[in-house]
């Protein structure tokens, strides 16, 4: 057992790289599989090409904007921090942008093929849409794990382990930069296009959903991709990378004498890549209702990961681990990792309950709509407020249990375990915009009602899947914030000790009795509201621009309104 443990200790990071490469190879296999499918008739290909053109134009503009800011940050890190951190910043930004860009490009290629497959069967359309989304999911976990593992290994050999671990912060910063722009910018774009298209097309001229006479229809479809595909990919990439780096920092700061504590997060990430691949294979082999098949993929991925976590944990920690002076058995560490998988399932179930048409909350909102828009808004807001209780409660339970099993390191492991499921969860998220676009292409191409019926059913499931992913992203980010806060306190204490401002055996207090801590909490609580206000202002301005452009085009060419689609 000791020899096996030593072997895994020495090869844990290389094995995680291998798993990441396998995940990326499988993603490119899925790309080839999707591209080989039929893209339908000429009209369908024209519409899909228009969506691709819009998405590409948006991302190109976004890259130009981000690059200007990234160059400034890189130079600041290079000259005022250290070279390794600056290089890590570039790597993190590049990999995050690549995951979102490639995934979105495949999504807009898969949409028209999903529409064509819907003319054959619901199962065929489901598989193409999910495979297109799975490319993004596998790219997120594969690139994030590979980037952190390679940078950690190379930097460790070049500048030493002690300097390599802190320099990982640069990689996390690069991923965070892309996340902010991709998630916020994509969200503003998609909501502005959606609002603008509805305000003029639906309300002023009575156009139906995805009516080709509405000049904003293509922009609306583009928004689904740049917001929910590229934006969410960058968001979860950042959370994944930050959580992995956070777990490494916690291990290095609190368990410096235990190298296995640093290797363990890499091993968990590598195993879950294999679990995600198993989930993708499940969708391609199983039959049944779309929602049940997709939930089965999540369960399959979690079960495979849970099974493989057991031997990996016991082999890496044959004698357990001492955390904060308390001995922890390998089984306790395994339970901490299991909590992350369970939390993923819990968030998926709760979000699915509050957003699926099959359950009471959505049906309640629909019933309230019978008495007018005011009661619909009231019911929707009420359900939304109710939906916050269960996730927060379970997050609290997860924190308590994981801390009970292995202290702050246990929480870090639970977070890493939860984020390691990102491969299959992001696949569900990207499934949403693909099916949404597929429905739009079916309408604009005047395909038979039977095709639209299939795409509408998949689109309804896709909307639920997008909500599930948002719940997962919020819950995982909440847990990750606690780990980052804990690692910040540990690193602050180490800095004070190194600088001679605090004795090594002196008690370090970071409590609510300190006014600076209270002020920091207030500022931290205020920032989301400030950013939300700026975001809503941006959406309003952009939506206004869309409204004015749609009105201009319809007034300039009044024949647009007379030209009706063939039924």
């Amino acid at each position: 057992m000791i020899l096996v443990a030593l072997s895994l200790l020495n090869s844990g990071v290389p094995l995680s790289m291998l798993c990441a490469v396998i995940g990326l190879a499988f993603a490119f296999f899925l790309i080839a599989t999707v591209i080989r499918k039929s893209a339908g008739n000429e009209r369908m290909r024209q519409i899909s090409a228009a969506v691709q053109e819009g998405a590409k134009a948006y991302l190109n503009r976004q890259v130009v904007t981000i690059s200007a800011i990234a160059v400034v940050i890189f130079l600041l890190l290079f000259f005022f921090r250290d070279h390794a951190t600056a290089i890590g910043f570039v790597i993190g930004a590049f990999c995050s942008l690549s995951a979102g860009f490639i995934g979105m490009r495949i999504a807009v290629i898969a949409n028209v093929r999903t529409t064509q497959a819907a003319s054959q069967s619901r199962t065929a359309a489901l598989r193409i849409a999910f495979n297109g989304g799975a490319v993004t999911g596998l790219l997120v976990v594969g690139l994030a794990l590979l980037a952190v593992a390679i940078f950690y290994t190379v930097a460790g050999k070049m500048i030493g382990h002690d300097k390599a671990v802190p320099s990982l912060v640069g990689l996390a910063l690069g991923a965070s930069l892309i996340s902010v722009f991709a998630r916020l910018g994509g969200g503003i774009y998609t909501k502005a296009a959606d609002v603008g298209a509805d305000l003029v097309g639906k309300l002023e001229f009575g156009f139906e959903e995805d009516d080709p006479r509405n000049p904003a229809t293509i922009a609306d479809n583009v928004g689904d991709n740049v917001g929910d595909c590229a934006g969410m990919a960058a968001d979860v990439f950042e959370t994944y990378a930050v959580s992995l780096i956070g777990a490494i920092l916690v291990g290095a700061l609190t368990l410096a004498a235990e190298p296995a504590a640093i290797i363990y997060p890499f091993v968990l990430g590598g195993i879950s890549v294999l679990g995600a691949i198993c989930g993708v294979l499940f969708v391609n082999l199983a039959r049944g209702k779309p929602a049940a098949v997709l939930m089965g993929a999540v369960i399959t991925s979690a079960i495979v990961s849970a099974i493989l976590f057991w031997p990996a944990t016991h082999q890496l920690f044959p004698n357990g681990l001492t955390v904060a002076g308390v001995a922890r058995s390998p089984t306790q560490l395994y339970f901490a990792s299991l909590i992350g998988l369970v939390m993923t399932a819990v968030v998926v179930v709760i979000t699915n309950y509050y957003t699926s048409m099959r359950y009471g909350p959505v049906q309640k909102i629909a019933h309230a709509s019978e008495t007018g828009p005011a009661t619909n808004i009231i019911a929707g807001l009420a359900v939304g407020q109710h939906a916050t209780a269960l996730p927060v409660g379970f997050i609290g339970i997860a924190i308590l249990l994981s801390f009970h099993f292995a202290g702050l390191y246990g929480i870090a492991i639970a977070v890493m375990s939860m984020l390691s499921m990102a491969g299959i969860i992001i696949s569900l998220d990207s499934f949403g915009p693909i099916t949404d676009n597929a429905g739009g292409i079916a309408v604009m191409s005047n395909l038979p009602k039977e095709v639209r019926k299939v795409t509408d059913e998949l689109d309804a499931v896709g909307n639920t899947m997008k909500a599930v992913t948002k719940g997962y992203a919020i819950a995982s980010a909440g847990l990750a914030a606690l780990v980052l806060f804990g690692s910040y306190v540990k690193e602050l204490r180490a800095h004070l000790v190194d600088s001679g401002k605090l004795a090594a055996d002196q008690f370090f207090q970071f409590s609510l009795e300190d006014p600076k801590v209270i002020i920091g909490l207030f500022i931290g609580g205020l920032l989301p509201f400030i950013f939300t206000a700026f975001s809503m202002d941006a959406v309003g301005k952009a939506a206004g621009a869309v409204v004015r452009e749609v009105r201009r085009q319809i007034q300039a060419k009044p024949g647009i309104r007379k030209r009706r689609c063939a039924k």
Side-chain angles (χ1 to χ4, degrees):
M1 178 65 77
I2 294 177
L3 291 176
V4 174
L6 290 174
S7 176
L8 189 59
L9 181 63
N10 295 327
S11 62
V13 177
L15 284 175
S16 71
M17 294 184 197
L18 176 62
C19 291
V21 170
I22 292 173
L24 294 176
F26 193 75
F28 284 102
F29 167 76
L30 292 177
I31 291 175
T33 301
V34 170
I35 291 177
R36 282 199 301 266
K37 302 296 181 181
S38 173
N41 58 42
E42 182 63 24
R43 173 65 175 168
M44 294 166 62
R45 291 195 292 270
Q46 288 177 351
I47 296 169
S48 178
V51 176
Q52 291 184 45
E53 181 182 356
K56 185 178 179 181
Y58 169 83
L59 284 184
N60 288 342
R61 184 66 185 88
Q62 187 180 69
V63 169
V64 172
T65 303
I66 295 175
S67 298
I69 300 174
V71 169
V72 175
I73 297 176
F74 170 78
L75 293 175
L76 291 174
L77 291 175
F78 191 85
F79 290 108
F80 296 102
R81 173 75 184 221
D82 58 74
H83 297 174
T85 302
I87 294 172
F89 169 78
V90 174
I91 293 174
F94 176 78
C95 290
S96 179
L97 191 62
S98 298
F101 186 84
I102 297 173
M104 189 218 66
R105 291 282 292 166
I106 298 305
V108 296
I109 290 174
N111 55 23
V112 67
R113 288 161 173 79
T114 300
T115 307
Q116 177 62 22
S119 63
Q120 303 169 4
S121 69
R122 182 183 66 182
T123 301
L126 169 69
R127 289 174 179 173
I128 292 179
F130 182 80
N131 287 341
V135 172
T136 306
L138 292 172
L139 285 174
V140 167
V141 295
L143 284 176
L145 182 60
L146 191 62
V148 176
I150 290 178
F151 183 81
Y152 171 77
T153 302
V154 174
K157 292 181 178 179
M158 294 183 65
I159 61 176
H161 175 268
D162 292 339
K163 293 183 179 180
V165 172
S167 64
L168 284 169
V169 175
L171 195 151
L173 179 61
S176 298
L177 175 69
I178 302 301
S179 173
V180 170
F181 277 90
R183 197 73 180 103
L184 186 60
I188 290 172
Y189 183 104
T190 185
K191 291 309 169 189
D194 197 2
V195 171
D198 289 350
L199 285 178
V200 182
K202 290 183 179 179
L203 298 182
E204 294 185 10
F205 297 104
F207 295 155
E208 295 180 0
E209 183 78 15
D210 293 316
D211 194 310
R213 294 174 295 171
N214 188 340
T217 296
I218 295 297
D220 190 7
N221 282 270
V222 170
D224 293 328
N225 292 285
V226 300
D228 289 318
C229 197
M232 180 60 79
D235 185 10
V236 176
F237 179 100
E238 179 260 349
T239 308
Y240 184 101
V242 168
S243 298
L244 175 57
I245 293 170
I248 295 170
L249 287 174
V250 170
L253 292 170
T254 63
L255 301 165
E258 296 285 351
I262 297 176
I263 305 301
Y264 191 42
F266 287 107
V267 174
L268 296 181
I271 288 174
S272 291
V273 172
L274 304 180
I277 293 175
C278 292
V280 175
L281 293 175
F282 177 87
V283 174
N284 284 273
L285 296 175
R287 292 184 176 273
K289 294 183 178 180
V293 171
L294 296 179
M295 289 298 106
V298 176
I299 295 172
T300 299
S301 179
I303 290 175
V304 170
S305 297
I307 292 174
L308 295 179
F309 282 178
W310 174 267
T313 305
H314 282 74
Q315 290 174 11
L316 200 55
F317 302 100
N319 300 316
L321 192 66
T322 301
V323 181
V326 180
R328 311 286 183 174
S329 68
T331 302
Q332 288 178 302
L333 294 172
Y334 171 74
F335 284 154
S337 69
L338 206 60
I339 288 172
L341 300 179
V342 173
M343 265 304 298
T344 300
V346 168
V347 171
V348 168
V349 170
I350 292 174
T351 311
N352 186 55
Y353 171 73
Y354 278 102
T355 58
S356 175
M357 296 185 297
R358 296 182 297 167
Y359 302 110
V362 173
Q363 294 172 2
K364 177 183 176 182
I365 298 173
H367 181 69
S369 303
E370 297 175 357
T371 52
T375 50
N376 167 270
I377 293 172
I378 293 171
L381 289 173
V383 169
Q385 300 295 332
H386 284 302
T388 61
L390 286 177
V392 171
F394 278 102
I395 288 174
I397 294 173
I399 291 172
L400 287 175
L401 289 176
S402 54
F403 186 83
H404 168 75
F405 288 128
L408 180 62
Y409 184 70
I411 299 176
I413 291 305
V415 174
M416 184 57 212
S417 174
M418 185 175 182
L419 262 301
S420 70
M421 291 285 291
I424 195 68
I425 298 297
I426 294 300
S427 301
L428 300 182
D429 180 74
S430 298
F431 171 85
I434 292 174
T435 54
D436 193 352
N437 280 190
I441 292 172
V443 172
M444 288 183 276
S445 302
N446 302 319
L447 296 182
K449 292 183 178 179
E450 291 75 16
V451 176
R452 294 181 227 177
K453 183 178 180 181
V454 173
T455 57
D456 286 347
E457 182 182 357
L458 294 179
D459 185 21
V461 175
N463 287 332
T464 299
M465 295 302 109
K466 287 189 288 187
V468 164
T469 310
K470 288 179 176 64
Y472 167 82
I474 293 169
S476 58
L479 283 172
L482 178 62
V483 175
L484 294 177
F485 185 76
S487 63
Y488 165 75
V489 174
K490 297 291 184 182
E491 191 164 1
L492 179 61
R493 186 185 192 285
H495 171 72
L496 293 176
V497 171
D498 292 340
S499 61
K501 296 180 180 179
L502 186 73
D505 57 349
Q506 186 178 348
F507 178 70
F508 178 64
Q509 187 176 17
F510 197 90
S511 71
L512 297 179
E513 295 178 358
D514 188 344
K516 294 180 181 178
V517 176
I518 297 295
I519 293 171
L521 291 174
F522 277 129
I523 294 174
L526 170 67
L527 288 178
F529 292 93
I530 297 296
F531 285 125
T532 299
F534 282 123
S535 301
M536 293 182 70
D537 288 339
V539 171
K541 292 177 182 178
V546 174
V547 167
R548 289 189 293 273
E549 177 61 19
V550 172
R551 286 174 178 168
R552 186 197 67 79
Q553 290 191 29
I554 293 179
Q555 289 173 0
K557 298 180 180 180
I560 292 176
R561 297 182 62 186
K562 299 178 181 178
R563 182 182 174 187
R564 290 197 171 275
C565 301
K567 297 294 183 182

